[in-house]
Amino acid sequence: MEAGALTTLQDARMYDVAVVEPDAPQRMRLAARLSGARQLESIEALVRAMRPGHGLVAVFGPGLVGPYGFQQVHRLTASYPELGAIFAVHQLTTDILQQALRAGARDTVVLDDDGFALGQSVERVGSLLSSGQARAAAAAPTPAPMMSQSVSPGRLIVVFSPKGGVGKSFLAINVATAMARRTDERVALVDADLQFGDIAVLLGIPPQTTLVDAAAAIQYADPELLRSLVSRHDSGLLVLPAPVEPVPGGAVSPQDVVAVCGGLQAMCKYVVVDLPTQFDEYVLALIEAADEILLVGNMDIPSVKNLKIGIQALDLMALAGSKLRLVLNRANVQVKLDVREIEQVLGLRAEFPIPNDLAVPIAVNAGIPVVMNDPNSAASRAIQNIATSLLGPGGRPAAGDRQRKSKFALSLRK
Ligand SMILES: Nc1ncnc2c1ncn2[C@@H]1O[C@H](COP(=O)(O)OP(=O)(O)O)[C@@H](O)[C@H]1O
Ligand SMILES: [Mg+2]
């Protein structure tokens, strides 16, 4: 084994170090900075050099920083968990950083003269590999450096429903947008539905980097990196979408997603999360971490039944009773369940009713949140009530808030 002298003796026994670079002089320069590293001229040579089950830190040189290199490294990192990939670049741009992360790289290092940064990176990635699963390392408690950025972490607001199609994403998008427009503090929206997430589509944001990238990046505890992965919507809202293609279950662990939210909470006053409709650890972890839970249902019997089952299955009352806030969406549809009956069945006050409103599908077709597309619509005004409550005294009033104060809410309640 030829692990470099720069690693500790103990680590040296646990992983190999290789430099992969087609250009021979460049390859030698890189290897010189990592004394003892193997020199390989191609990705094929690297595959031949790999020993199954044995950790290998591979530094990919500038000759592989490009579409071909990213693609090949992506294939490798997907098949060999024991490979710790590092890109060594002349110049680091956000674009390169994002592509490197997508390729599964653990780090991207700018080449300096003495190779100190590279040596440190190899050491860090190597010890990640030897401490067993990198995933376990990533799942370690929320990165401290990020949390120390702000005095107190932002509030985590999750939107949940045990059933799809009730308006969960509509609610998450519009509440977050309304909040972003009424405060100077940062507001983030996370699409945590990795199977059916559609926030990117609904907001017209190309999901170049997603929650999956953020989960891969969270182990670096680097606020700049996390910030570079988040998109900005016209409303000022920061958005972390889900990938367009469904992601296999388990690709992002509950700990990772909570850590990503923690990272965002360190830089944003409010983080709104659209949860999937599953009853599992992933959802439970976020519900547990949340400061407020908007529980969304419709007013028909199947929907109320699903809410009841969801509350029981997740033991939500025990876990999060005081954090639960019931939102009855499309509340004026003529199916007529009495609000009071619903409250009794669920043991929750129907705090926020939202009417069925044609302005909603019109806004969806325009790719603009209804609170921006038609701020005076009944649905927008109902959403503003929720935003007001979540913002507390710090929020600005919504445009036109005072004169039309939710007639609808009053008519439902009494
Ligand atoms: N208050 C409302 N009025 C009219 N249409 C609505 C309302 N709420 C949601 N919708 C529509 O219902 C459909 C499902 O909403 P969506 O937010 O995608 O549900 P979920 O995320 O729970 O699956 C969407 O087409 C949405 O535009
Ligand atoms: Mg949805």
Side-chain angles (χ1 to χ4, degrees):
M1 182 190 343
E2 298 167 312
L6 62 117
T7 57
T8 65
L9 266 179
Q10 193 192 0
D11 282 342
R13 283 191 211 104
M14 301 178 78
Y15 62 89
D16 297 337
V17 180
V19 168
V20 190
E21 165 62 46
D23 179 67
Q26 177 67 269
R27 184 167 68 237
M28 277 184 265
R29 276 197 297 275
L30 278 170
R33 292 165 177 179
L34 302 168
S35 49
R38 291 190 68 164
Q39 295 189 37
L40 304 167
E41 78 288 356
S42 66
I43 302 241
E44 292 70 31
L46 173 67
V47 171
R48 287 194 297 273
M50 290 206 56
R51 296 191 280 157
H54 192 85
L56 172 67
V57 180
V59 175
F60 296 92
L64 289 163
V65 177
Y68 168 80
F70 289 135
Q71 194 194 354
Q72 295 298 316
V73 172
H74 181 68
R75 267 193 21 220
L76 283 181
T77 54
S79 340
Y80 299 99
E82 63 270 43
L83 177 71
I86 298 172
F87 280 101
V89 302
H90 288 308
Q91 222 186 1
L92 188 55
T93 62
T94 312
D95 187 47
I96 289 179
L97 187 58
Q98 288 175 351
Q99 295 197 58
L101 277 171
R102 305 205 95 172
R106 303 271 169 90
D107 204 358
T108 307
V109 179
V110 181
L111 289 170
D112 53 2
D113 294 332
D114 56 8
F116 181 70
L118 188 59
Q120 273 201 323
S121 171
V122 167
E123 219 170 315
R124 199 168 54 79
V125 171
S127 51
L128 262 176
L129 287 179
S130 18
S131 70
Q133 296 304 356
R135 176 150 295 282
T142 311
M146 276 199 196
M147 299 307 286
S148 63
Q149 270 238 319
S150 87
V151 186
S152 64
R155 288 183 79 70
L156 186 63
I157 300 156
V158 302
V159 184
F160 179 65
S161 163
K163 182 176 176 291
V166 298
K168 189 167 47 66
S169 303
F170 149 76
L171 185 72
I173 288 171
N174 281 282
V175 164
T177 305
M179 291 172 81
R181 283 159 63 87
R182 289 174 49 189
T183 171
D184 297 326
E185 307 276 0
R186 289 206 193 96
V187 182
L189 173 63
V190 179
D191 191 346
D193 189 346
L194 294 171
Q195 299 293 316
F196 303 109
D198 47 12
I199 281 182
V201 174
L202 288 168
L203 284 177
I205 291 178
Q208 272 162 348
T209 53
T210 69
L211 175 58
V212 175
D213 304 305
I218 200 66
Q219 60 184 312
Y220 301 127
D222 179 349
E224 280 309 315
L225 175 54
L226 184 58
R227 200 165 298 163
S228 77
L229 298 174
V230 171
S231 305
R232 197 171 183 283
H233 184 250
D234 293 343
S235 59
L237 185 64
L238 301 176
V239 185
L240 192 54
V244 177
E245 299 283 319
V247 175
V252 173
S253 73
Q255 293 86 346
D256 285 347
V257 74
V258 169
V260 169
C261 290
L264 290 172
Q265 284 171 269
M267 59 175 90
C268 302
K269 179 85 180 281
Y270 302 98
V271 178
V272 178
V273 184
D274 188 6
L275 290 182
T277 52
Q278 42 203 54
F279 294 16
D280 62 8
E281 270 178 80
Y282 179 89
V283 161
L284 273 181
L286 282 162
I287 283 181
E288 218 166 350
D291 296 298
E292 319 225 31
I293 302 154
L294 299 178
L295 188 62
V296 197
N298 295 158
M299 280 189 71
D300 51 286
I301 291 175
S303 178
V304 172
K305 186 206 74 185
N306 279 316
L307 278 176
K308 181 77 186 167
I309 291 173
I311 289 172
Q312 283 170 342
L314 294 172
D315 204 6
L316 274 185
M317 285 304 179
L319 187 74
S322 61
K323 304 192 288 193
L324 285 177
R325 315 191 63 176
L326 181 60
V327 178
L328 289 180
N329 189 26
R330 319 188 85 161
N332 53 343
V333 173
Q334 298 300 315
V335 237
K336 282 318 128 193
L337 268 182
D338 185 58
V339 177
R340 237 163 275 224
E341 256 179 277
I342 297 179
E343 292 183 330
Q344 249 171 22
V345 171
L346 298 178
L348 284 172
R349 190 162 75 85
E351 207 172 340
F352 301 121
I354 303 176
N356 192 50
D357 190 337
L358 191 60
V360 176
I362 291 174
V364 167
N365 287 338
I368 301 172
V370 69
V371 291
M372 288 171 77
N373 199 50
D374 190 351
N376 290 321
S377 63
S380 295
R381 280 180 276 131
I383 293 275
Q384 293 294 358
N385 281 339
I386 303 178
T388 302
S389 168
L390 294 171
L391 285 168
R396 284 189 290 273
D401 211 16
R402 236 165 292 124
Q403 62 268 40
R404 296 191 204 83
K405 195 140 191 176
S406 195
K407 229 164 47 200
F408 182 76
L410 292 176
S411 67
L412 249 183
R413 214 158 284 151
K414 274 263 132 87

